[in-house]
Amino acid sequence: GKPSQAQALFQPLAKQRSYYGFLAADQAGVPYHLKHADTPVKPSERAAVRRLPGIQRALELRALQRDRQARREWYYATKKLGKPQLQAAATVAEEINWHDQAIFTLAKTHYWDDLELRFPLRHHSLVKQQAQQHQLDEAWIFAVIRQESAFMRDARSHVGATGLMQLMPATAREVARYLQQPPPRKKTLLQPANNIALGSAYLRQLMDRLNNHPVLVTAAYNAGPHRVNRWLPKQTMAADIWVELVPFKETNQYLRRVLAYSVIYDKRLGREPKRLREKMRPVRPDLL
């Protein structure tokens, strides 16, 4: 009820490239802050990092698809590097499409403006195909992959979630049965084409189940649709308020990241970013 005071708060916050920054920009009626700037690395710094024995071992192991050993070598090789060397190492990893290590290494330097490195378009043709097949937003699929695995091709969680879109084996089997396909084996579930196809089909199933509400579907992808059903409000509620009231800290953070990443991926795909307010319809108790 105090619009002038609210605008004074929204205007500076809207300059941030974040979930809350995007929400503030919606309230203030200003464009999103989506500035990109390449990681500041000199060619000589990149070449020097490439010559480090640990980096060379990590790159060779990566080329041999011995990913766990490659990550171990990379970890120890970069552990004591300074900020300029870490930034150089991140660009070295990016050059060979080792996106997870590029993302994690650059994050150690707190340099956030390289949107191309931090939000890669790896497997674009696969994502685009599945988005068209299931009538999904490809920026949203990319955002889920970015949050779930950071494009780590052999990602496995401690609870058994597997691959780029971190599918639980039981979920993958159910989706495969829905698609009238044979149940995937662990090895095939790690293959990008299979993982993205099953993960996208699961998003479509959740969309059909949750009344095409992207906020609820994103929460359900992380926490399960049965929990989202329990979390529906007793009275209609603004979606941004509902996100804040999600009782699982992990899911609350997951929602904010995926929603923000979907905006950034619109930019990366060369599209006019869809405003968060368009995705965040009110959450009603009778949505299911």
Side-chain angles (χ1 to χ4, degrees):
K2 300 178 181 178
S4 59
Q5 292 168 275
Q7 287 298 319
L9 295 171
F10 290 143
Q11 290 289 343
L13 180 57
K15 296 177 182 179
Q16 296 183 18
R17 188 180 53 246
S18 67
Y19 169 74
Y20 292 118
F22 297 152
L23 289 180
D26 284 344
Q27 293 287 344
V30 298
Y32 288 161
H33 172 65
L34 291 166
K35 177 185 174 183
H36 162 78
D38 290 336
T39 303
V41 176
K42 298 176 182 177
S44 59
E45 293 172 332
R46 186 182 294 111
V49 166
R50 267 191 172 276
R51 289 194 297 269
L52 294 174
I55 296 294
Q56 291 185 347
R57 287 194 296 271
L59 296 179
E60 286 296 320
L61 288 164
R62 169 73 175 178
L64 293 169
Q65 297 190 5
R66 294 163 64 177
D67 289 344
R68 288 186 64 186
Q69 291 170 291
R71 283 194 296 272
R72 191 176 296 120
E73 284 285 359
W74 186 269
Y75 171 78
Y76 285 108
T78 59
K79 190 174 181 181
K80 296 183 180 180
L81 297 183
K83 182 176 179 178
Q85 289 177 304
L86 284 171
Q87 291 181 343
T91 64
V92 167
E94 183 193 28
E95 286 175 350
I96 63 165
N97 292 324
W98 199 1
H99 297 298
D100 54 306
Q101 292 309 308
I103 291 165
F104 300 148
T105 302
L106 186 62
K108 293 178 182 178
T109 73
H110 294 212
Y111 185 81
W112 310 118
D113 289 337
D114 193 334
L115 300 187
E116 293 180 4
L117 186 151
R118 295 183 58 226
F119 298 92
L121 293 173
R122 183 72 167 161
H123 311 300
H124 186 191
S125 60
L126 295 174
V127 170
K128 185 176 182 179
Q129 177 190 16
Q130 293 302 319
Q132 291 174 345
Q133 181 176 337
H134 296 293
Q135 296 181 303
L136 298 171
D137 179 6
E138 60 184 292
W140 184 35
I141 299 175
F142 267 122
V144 170
I145 294 173
R146 174 60 171 78
Q147 173 59 24
E148 289 286 354
S149 67
F151 295 85
M152 185 184 296
R153 63 189 182 189
D154 64 332
R156 289 187 179 89
S157 77
H158 67 282
V159 295
T162 301
L164 293 172
M165 297 188 73
Q166 287 292 275
L167 287 167
M168 292 297 290
T171 300
R173 288 193 296 270
E174 289 178 11
V175 176
R177 186 164 55 248
Y178 167 77
L179 296 174
Q180 298 182 331
Q181 297 176 358
R185 294 176 294 174
K186 288 184 179 180
K187 186 175 181 179
T188 59
L189 194 52
L190 283 171
Q191 295 171 356
N194 292 328
N195 197 278
I196 293 172
L198 291 171
S200 300
Y202 184 47
L203 283 173
R204 181 68 261 169
Q205 284 185 303
L206 291 174
M207 286 286 276
D208 294 340
R209 181 171 177 175
L210 297 172
N211 201 27
N212 292 306
H213 198 299
V215 175
L216 296 182
V217 172
T218 302
Y221 195 91
N222 176 256
H226 60 291
R227 291 194 177 95
V228 171
N229 187 19
R230 294 205 305 266
W231 297 341
L232 289 178
K234 294 181 179 179
Q235 295 181 334
T236 299
M237 179 183 293
D240 56 345
I241 301 298
W242 184 83
V243 169
E244 297 304 315
L245 296 176
V246 167
F248 283 11
K249 182 178 179 180
E250 176 189 332
T251 304
N252 179 284
Q253 184 180 66
Y254 184 92
L255 277 163
R256 287 185 275 117
R257 287 182 175 176
V258 170
L259 288 165
Y261 292 173
S262 69
V263 172
I264 295 170
Y265 267 110
D266 268 336
K267 174 73 171 180
R268 289 285 290 118
L269 290 164
R271 309 187 314 198
E272 182 67 25
K274 190 174 182 180
R275 309 290 294 200
L276 282 189
R277 63 171 176 255
E278 297 176 37
K279 304 177 184 182
M280 303 185 73
R281 307 194 319 264
V283 179
R284 305 197 312 266
D286 60 344
L287 269 175
L288 301 188

